[in-house]
Amino acid sequence: MAEYNARTVEGKWQAYWSENKIFEASEDCKKPKFYVLDMFPYPSGAGLHLGHALAYTASDIYARYMYHRGYNVLHPMGYDSFGLPAEQYAVQTGQHPAVTTERNIKRYRAQLDRMGFSLDWSREIRTSSPSYYKWTQWIFIQLFNSWYNVAADRAEPIEGLIRRFEAGGNQAVRAACDEGVPLFSALDWKAFSDVEKQELLLKYRLAYRAQTKVNWCPGLGTVLAHDEVVNGVSARGGFPVIRKEMMQWNLRITAYAQRLLDDLEDLDWPEPVKDMQTHWIGRSAGARVRFDVLDSQGAIEVFTTRPDTIFGVTFLVLAPEHEAVASIAIPEYAQAVETYKAHSAQRRAGSQNPTGQFTGAYAVHPFTQARIPIWIADYVLASYGTAAVMAVPGGDQRDWDFAAHFGLPIKNIFSGVDISKGAYSDPNHTCMAQSEFLNGLTPREAARRVVAELERLQLGGARVNFRLRDAAFSRQRYWGEPFPVYYKNGLPQLIDAAHLPLALPDVDAYTPTETGEPPLGRAGVWAWDTRGRKVVSNDRIDGKTVFPLARDTMPGWAGSAWYFNRYMDARNEGEWAAQKALNYWRDVDLYIGGIEHATGHLLYSRFWQKFLCDRGWAPVSEYARKLVNQGMVWGMSAFVFRIVGTRTFVSKNLAGAYKTTPLHVDISLVNASQELDLEGFRKWRPEYADAEFILEDGKYITDRVLEKMSKSKYNVVNPDDIIERYSADTLRLYAMFLGPLTQSKPWDTAGIKGVHSFLKKLWRLYHRGGALSLSAERADGVELKILHQTTQKVGYAIEHFTFNTGVSALMIAVNELQALRCDKREILAPLSILLSPYAPHMAEELWHEMGHSESIAHVEFPSFDPELLVSDSHEYPILFNGKLRFKMRFAADTPQRDMEVAVLGAEKTSRYLTGKTPKKIIVVPGKIINVVY
RNA sequence: GCCCGGGUGGCGGAACUGGUAGACGCGCUGGACUCAAAAUCCAGUUCUGGCAACGGAAUGCGGGUUCGAUUCCCGCCCCGGGUACCA
């Protein structure tokens, strides 16, 4: 080959890897396993973007490195292919989402192949394929058929709960369940009707239906999860989102709150992700306190983290939505309360002035029996704690602000603290005052006393509260997993697991029905299993017993909450995954993906894994040991300046003299020195065909700004174009060379030249006159040192996820070897193995050119000899007046110039040590620096 | 407000447990090769004073510890991300 032809070479080895199944993993292997996982992509119409290319290159480098280190690597890929964009496209075009999804997947696959990733495609999965969502439906069935046994701290089969109810009712059962389940005995249970039993069980199941406040997006006609809502609008589409009460499927993730929190500790995950999950779960320990309502049967229960401040309570505040508001408000205030409730429906967080309304009712202080006014105010959230707080203006700033605004009393319950300007909320450095039996105690001691007292009086007790809510699991969409459920008397009934998957029906349109039902409401009889057997009848059939099927589908995160397990045994028809495979691969050793999933996918998937582990299907309760978040890739945008009202464009540094409009210009028309390609610009768009330019130094200089990549900014860089113009190896190297993996960084294609010429330079090192040319001569010390240093640096870089320094190390090695005109096989053969994770195509080509017949991918990574790196360095004793003061270390080959620098350093040091300027500094070359006065 | 992460040349970024700050690459300058261009190679490139030798300053700002600080400690400023009346 005359010169390196990336296109031919890369295509050749991609085919070779695929045909020879180089990266297909097997469970029958004596090597230690290593599971490298990427967050699988949603196959969008826009194709694979640079962010994918970056993250997938990083995991690929790691995977290939682990192959070289002798591991049995599992490195799979698939598609998170259910989702809204395909459905919206279907709404617009009438095209079945399966069709567009298939088309997009083909494109993604082609792009992924072109990158040269070491993926095991025999394990490919698609969440929207029936052979996959069969098992998502199966897991849903298991969730429905499980309850959470708090005493055992794990999920258990619902049959066990039924047996307990039969034996002793629910009094002795400690379960994670709905609030306010009435107590019943075994006799009661037996007397309940079937419907009553089912209704009760629903309050215990891990998948349950309930009226739920949800984020309803009228624009999309569906419910959204918290992470699908950004600043009050939908993340996809940007439609407004409102709160609405609906009958929804929910998953009882709150049962796992404590475990989700506790197990974070042992995970090797980025701190920001752990922090975000910790905050999301939001554990706070405190107490519940019951305040009886004066002249009423009712009582208000509050949650507080500061039971020690109970004697500072001067009023209670309920959320406007609190269920007791209507019943306690006394008639004179009823109207005002209603008005305030209506007003607060459009509450905004962080408003300046507190708002609220007195209900006219009073509560009784549990210890002092004082009358405590009850207010409603929107600073109290309906969705947290008991939706009621005991206000302690002396100890809580929000309460203080509220009290100050409405003229309510502020009581000081701390000694030696000034609360005239604001509350004192620090539980340290003070003790209690004006607090009866708490006086003189520290807040911490006082809290313990109060809790004990509340328990004794049966007015409350210690309580842990979580911010985490149960997960809404219904979406009013078409393109998602259908629930394997039909309804009988309004109660959900499972479709037998033998009939899974319950396939998605065809519909005539993908919009909600005229009656406001989700798109599935349009389907005729659709409950078929894959063998074409009708499973249940649909409510549109006349003359027979009819059971309506579930009309909603599961949310986007359902399929991604367990997919990492399916890769272990992706083709299994009879099980979600075989125990043998699960026990072999167990968990993901390295998971790479974006931080945007921190409180969505990464939390839900931990929850499902714990559930699957509890029920004995999964061998581990955490599925990803190590997580790495890649940084975002920003786009570099370019601007030209058009003089207002003309077709004249003025160069950046002259633009100040004119009145101009900055306009985005396609970044590909700008070179590395920010110069605009004038001809290209004129051709770019017809309206610029006759553009005039005012140049500086004969050039048109553009302005550059870092922005998110977007079509409208003409700064989108497509990986395909880079591969086309340079090569996949170049793209891989440059993506890594940009900067640290975890850091957000700009993509500036201008700089790609450097890594591209590195590859060409490397190629020339191995070739002469177009043919492979390597010398069999033994390497000398200098050459060996270069090789061993590079080996150390490249290995270190990969292991520490500082891939950019690995690229630098390779570049330095090539520069040095080129300067030495080194063409020795002894050096270049191992060098190609070092190159292999980064630029696998060229490495494979070199390897085969050198006469090897096996793939370089499985060749052992070279080891380095630490002696070679440090053996010829010496410690130089630095003497002052003959006395040893310290040692300096230099390599033996330190040049004279550098030694002089050291001497200079010794001189300065001597001034510090003795205050004297030395008369003489003696350097014994390679031995001693002696300073004499 | 609170919680993370980060401030180093014209730019992306190096610097292992404190030890020659600016590796590597882009860009820029000069040179070689070419009719020319591309490609390639060589040299230079933190700022500043100086023809030069050589000197001064510099890792967001101000202090501190140390013979020595990008690195450790204290106080501030700025940027990015997350979160927000969570009782």
Side-chain angles (χ1 to χ4, degrees):
Chain A
M1 190 185 310
E3 59 189 75
Y4 186 66
N5 181 335
R7 196 167 312 177
T8 322
V9 169
E10 294 191 344
K12 176 169 76 180
W13 296 117
Q14 284 158 14
Y16 168 86
W17 294 328
S18 163
E19 278 157 23
N20 294 283
K21 305 186 192 314
I22 299 293
F23 301 114
E24 284 187 19
S26 157
E27 288 80 52
D28 299 308
C29 186
K30 296 227 162 51
K31 294 175 186 173
K33 70 97 185 180
F34 199 89
Y35 185 178
V36 182
L37 183 66
D38 293 291
M39 290 187 187
F40 58 167
Y42 173 78
S44 75
L48 196 82
H49 56 73
L50 272 180
H52 291 129
L54 179 95
Y56 296 168
T57 299
S59 62
D60 194 57
I61 288 173
Y62 206 91
R64 284 177 177 272
Y65 177 72
M66 294 312 272
Y67 276 117
H68 289 302
R69 297 297 305 269
Y71 284 84
N72 184 28
V73 177
L74 175 58
H75 186 209
M77 183 54 80
Y79 306 96
D80 192 11
S81 45
F82 270 137
L84 204 45
E87 180 162 336
Q88 283 176 310
Y89 190 73
V91 167
Q92 287 162 21
T93 63
Q95 249 207 86
H96 197 287
V99 175
T100 45
T101 300
E102 177 69 33
R103 191 165 64 216
N104 292 345
I105 285 178
K106 279 212 174 89
R107 167 130 189 250
Y108 267 70
R109 176 61 195 272
Q111 290 181 297
L112 290 165
D113 283 347
R114 233 170 288 147
M115 289 292 296
F117 293 139
S118 60
L119 295 165
D120 178 355
W121 284 108
S122 72
R123 294 168 186 260
E124 184 209 277
I125 57 172
R126 305 173 180 193
T127 55
S128 63
S129 110
S131 61
Y132 181 87
Y133 70 67
K134 169 181 180 175
W135 299 108
T136 310
Q137 290 174 332
W138 176 82
I139 293 170
F140 173 81
I141 289 175
Q142 308 315 322
L143 283 160
F144 184 83
N145 280 336
S146 299
W147 66 293
Y148 199 87
N149 181 343
V150 171
D153 205 14
R154 63 160 187 260
E156 293 182 355
I158 198 81
E159 290 78 24
L161 184 67
I162 296 171
R163 280 197 296 278
R164 282 165 192 248
F165 286 170
E166 285 166 350
N170 69 349
Q171 276 112 334
V173 171
R174 289 178 58 211
C177 59
D178 289 4
E179 290 254 332
V181 180
L183 290 181
F184 56 82
S185 66
L187 278 175
D188 295 336
W189 175 257
K190 280 169 194 145
F192 288 148
S193 70
D194 190 46
V195 167
E196 284 170 322
K197 284 180 181 168
Q198 288 194 39
E199 279 172 347
L200 269 168
L201 285 173
L202 214 44
K203 296 177 190 299
Y204 286 85
R205 296 181 189 275
L206 292 185
Y208 63 98
R209 269 170 75 80
Q211 282 290 339
T212 317
K213 271 259 166 127
V214 293
N215 297 308
W216 173 255
C217 179
L220 297 171
T222 189
V223 162
L224 298 174
H226 72 87
D227 59 308
E228 297 168 315
V229 182
V230 180
N231 297 327
V233 299
S234 61
R236 293 214 158 134
F239 299 103
V241 174
I242 57 167
R243 301 285 295 169
K244 184 179 169 184
E245 192 139 293
M246 288 178 76
M247 185 56 98
Q248 294 282 298
W249 280 106
N250 288 275
L251 298 189
R252 214 177 289 283
I253 187 174
T254 49
Y256 286 88
Q258 189 65 52
R259 285 167 64 191
L260 287 168
L261 192 64
D262 291 343
D263 292 352
L264 274 178
E265 204 159 311
D266 299 325
L267 294 181
D268 185 4
W269 284 22
E271 280 309 317
V273 175
K274 291 196 197 183
D275 287 348
M276 282 162 75
Q277 291 206 351
T278 301
H279 181 256
W280 193 256
I281 295 166
R283 180 187 198 275
S284 43
R288 282 215 179 175
V289 187
R290 199 178 81 216
F291 287 77
D292 288 323
V293 177
L294 200 64
D295 304 326
S296 152
Q297 300 294 317
I300 302 294
E301 206 179 13
V302 303
F303 172 73
T304 178
T305 53
R306 294 291 303 276
D308 50 304
T309 64
I310 193 152
F311 288 97
V313 175
T314 56
F315 55 101
L316 298 188
V317 190
L318 312 187
E321 300 91 333
H322 193 287
E323 57 194 14
V325 170
S327 63
I328 63 162
I330 66 164
E332 296 96 297
Y333 288 88
Q335 185 58 46
V337 165
E338 274 312 307
T339 308
Y340 182 77
K341 276 179 75 166
H343 160 79
S344 69
Q346 318 103 326
R347 82 168 77 207
R348 271 185 305 147
S351 60
Q352 306 301 331
N353 285 319
T355 64
Q357 173 60 47
F358 180 43
T359 62
Y362 290 87
V364 181
H365 191 285
F367 297 124
T368 67
Q369 312 305 320
R371 274 170 28 127
I372 310 278
I374 304 173
W375 285 64
I376 60 171
D378 62 10
Y379 83 90
V380 176
L381 300 178
S383 58
Y384 184 77
T386 61
V389 302
M390 57 176 223
V392 183
D396 183 287
Q397 192 57 42
R398 291 157 305 180
D399 297 343
W400 194 94
D401 292 340
F402 193 81
H405 189 260
F406 289 103
L408 294 159
I410 299 173
K411 181 177 171 187
N412 194 351
I413 39 159
F414 303 111
S415 61
V417 161
D418 175 24
I419 56 160
S420 62
K421 297 280 189 311
Y424 183 84
S425 55
D426 185 356
N428 304 306
H429 319 297
T430 186
C431 53
M432 312 309 298
Q434 294 196 77
S435 296
E436 303 196 357
F437 60 90
L438 303 178
N439 286 342
L441 298 179
T442 67
R444 285 174 212 291
E445 292 162 347
R448 277 193 289 277
R449 272 301 303 278
V450 169
V451 167
E453 203 59 15
L454 288 168
E455 275 164 3
R456 192 179 65 78
L457 298 169
Q458 301 204 334
L459 288 170
R463 179 75 179 230
V464 170
N465 197 58
F466 292 95
R467 204 182 83 115
L468 185 70
R469 305 285 90 196
D470 278 343
F473 201 61
S474 289
R475 297 292 182 274
Q476 287 64 42
R477 287 181 188 164
Y478 174 76
W479 193 230
E481 298 87 350
F483 284 93
V485 164
Y486 63 95
Y487 295 95
K488 192 171 163 185
N489 302 320
L491 287 168
Q493 312 292 322
L494 291 180
I495 284 164
D496 194 283
H499 288 295
L500 297 181
L502 186 67
L504 259 180
D506 286 326
V507 291
D508 52 7
Y510 303 95
T511 47
T513 65
E514 299 73 34
T515 54
E517 273 194 279
L520 286 188
R522 294 176 176 278
V525 177
W526 64 268
W528 309 93
D529 64 19
T530 40
R531 272 153 283 181
R533 296 179 306 193
K534 192 165 87 179
V535 179
V536 286
S537 59
N538 183 279
D539 58 341
R540 293 188 175 195
I541 307 170
D542 294 328
K544 283 192 183 168
T545 316
V546 290
F547 300 120
L549 287 150
R551 302 297 202 200
D552 38 12
T553 52
M554 298 184 202
W557 54 266
S560 61
W562 69 281
Y563 75 111
F564 34 85
N565 289 304
R566 184 65 179 171
Y567 282 134
M568 298 177 190
D569 193 12
R571 300 276 84 89
N572 196 325
E573 299 271 327
E575 289 172 278
W576 77 303
Q579 286 304 308
K580 185 189 167 220
L582 288 161
N583 283 325
Y584 179 77
W585 296 110
R586 297 182 77 81
D587 53 8
V588 175
D589 295 280
L590 173 65
Y591 194 18
I592 295 186
I595 194 167
E596 65 271 19
H597 300 106
T599 55
H601 158 65
L602 287 173
L603 193 61
Y604 299 131
S605 51
R606 291 183 61 220
F607 158 45
W608 278 37
Q609 184 70 15
K610 289 193 184 307
F611 166 72
L612 290 163
C613 179
D614 281 358
R615 294 294 315 271
W617 290 298
V620 289
S621 65
E622 287 290 345
Y623 70 90
R625 289 166 187 279
K626 182 175 177 68
L627 174 71
V628 173
N629 298 125
Q630 85 276 14
M632 250 182 62
V633 181
W634 293 82
M636 182 72 78
S637 305
F639 284 93
V640 292
F641 302 90
R642 183 171 67 192
I643 299 175
V644 174
T646 70
R647 285 165 190 274
T648 305
F649 295 83
V650 58
S651 187
K652 174 186 163 192
N653 298 309
L654 304 173
Y658 303 86
K659 202 174 169 209
T660 59
T661 320
L663 296 168
H664 274 102
V665 59
D666 195 316
I667 189 67
S668 62
L669 296 172
V670 177
N671 74 9
S673 37
Q674 304 185 37
E675 195 183 330
L676 182 68
D677 169 5
L678 300 182
E679 274 317 299
F681 181 73
R682 288 198 176 103
K683 282 184 200 140
W684 179 44
R685 314 195 52 190
E687 64 263 40
Y688 298 146
D690 54 354
E692 305 278 333
F693 301 97
I694 298 175
L695 308 176
E696 51 182 299
D697 301 332
K699 298 168 185 168
Y700 188 99
I701 305 298
T702 57
D703 199 13
R704 307 178 122 193
V705 177
L706 272 185
E707 299 178 289
K708 256 189 170 170
M709 283 197 185
S710 94
K711 270 187 189 167
S712 63
K713 290 168 186 150
Y714 304 110
N715 65 349
V716 175
V717 178
N718 186 327
D720 291 340
D721 298 342
I722 303 277
I723 295 175
E724 186 66 24
R725 180 140 175 231
Y726 300 96
S727 65
D729 284 341
T730 309
L731 172 56
R732 293 169 59 110
L733 277 166
Y734 190 55
M736 294 301 104
F737 186 68
L738 278 181
L741 177 64
T742 53
Q743 190 177 300
S744 286
K745 50 213 170 270
W747 178 277
D748 183 1
T749 306
I752 203 167
K753 209 181 132 177
V755 290
H756 190 233
S757 53
F758 154 74
L759 285 175
K760 289 193 279 185
K761 217 184 280 184
L762 177 73
W763 184 258
R764 282 198 299 274
L765 218 45
Y766 287 82
H767 296 84
R768 190 145 308 152
L772 183 79
S773 156
L774 292 181
S775 142
E777 234 179 287
R778 291 305 304 270
D780 64 27
V782 179
E783 291 163 337
L784 280 175
K785 190 170 169 181
I786 293 170
L787 175 67
H788 284 241
Q789 269 178 351
T790 310
T791 307
Q792 190 221 12
K793 284 186 196 160
V794 170
Y796 185 92
I798 295 174
E799 277 163 27
H800 292 83
F801 297 93
T802 53
F803 299 121
N804 51 330
T805 61
V807 183
S808 295
L810 288 166
M811 288 181 163
I812 293 168
V814 167
N815 285 345
E816 287 175 351
L817 290 173
Q818 184 200 251
L820 294 170
R821 311 237 174 280
C822 171
D823 62 352
K824 293 173 186 166
R825 188 187 190 95
E826 190 184 345
I827 300 297
L828 295 181
L831 192 71
S832 41
I833 305 170
L834 301 184
L835 179 75
S836 161
Y838 284 95
H841 305 92
M842 185 182 279
E844 191 80 84
E845 174 75 7
L846 293 172
W847 193 247
H848 286 262
E849 278 192 319
M850 283 186 281
H852 298 278
S853 55
E854 83 280 27
S855 168
I856 195 171
H858 297 290
V859 176
E860 204 185 328
F861 202 77
S863 54
F864 63 90
D865 180 358
E867 284 300 306
L868 258 180
L869 305 180
V870 296
S871 62
D872 52 353
S873 75
H874 295 293
E875 285 204 300
Y876 292 73
I878 309 281
L879 314 176
F880 287 91
N881 274 348
K883 265 171 90 180
L884 176 75
R885 296 306 280 260
F886 57 92
K887 290 176 179 176
M888 277 178 128
R889 191 172 184 143
F890 295 102
D893 55 358
T894 302
Q896 185 59 34
R897 181 165 45 92
D898 293 355
M899 288 300 291
E900 283 162 12
V901 172
V903 171
L904 229 68
E907 184 190 334
K908 278 191 206 168
T909 303
S910 87
R911 286 203 212 100
Y912 276 109
L913 287 178
T914 64
K916 286 183 267 183
T917 307
K919 253 191 254 169
K920 238 194 218 171
I921 296 173
I922 302 161
V923 181
V924 181
K927 291 286 173 211
I928 292 170
I929 298 172
N930 199 359
V931 184
V932 185
Y933 302 98

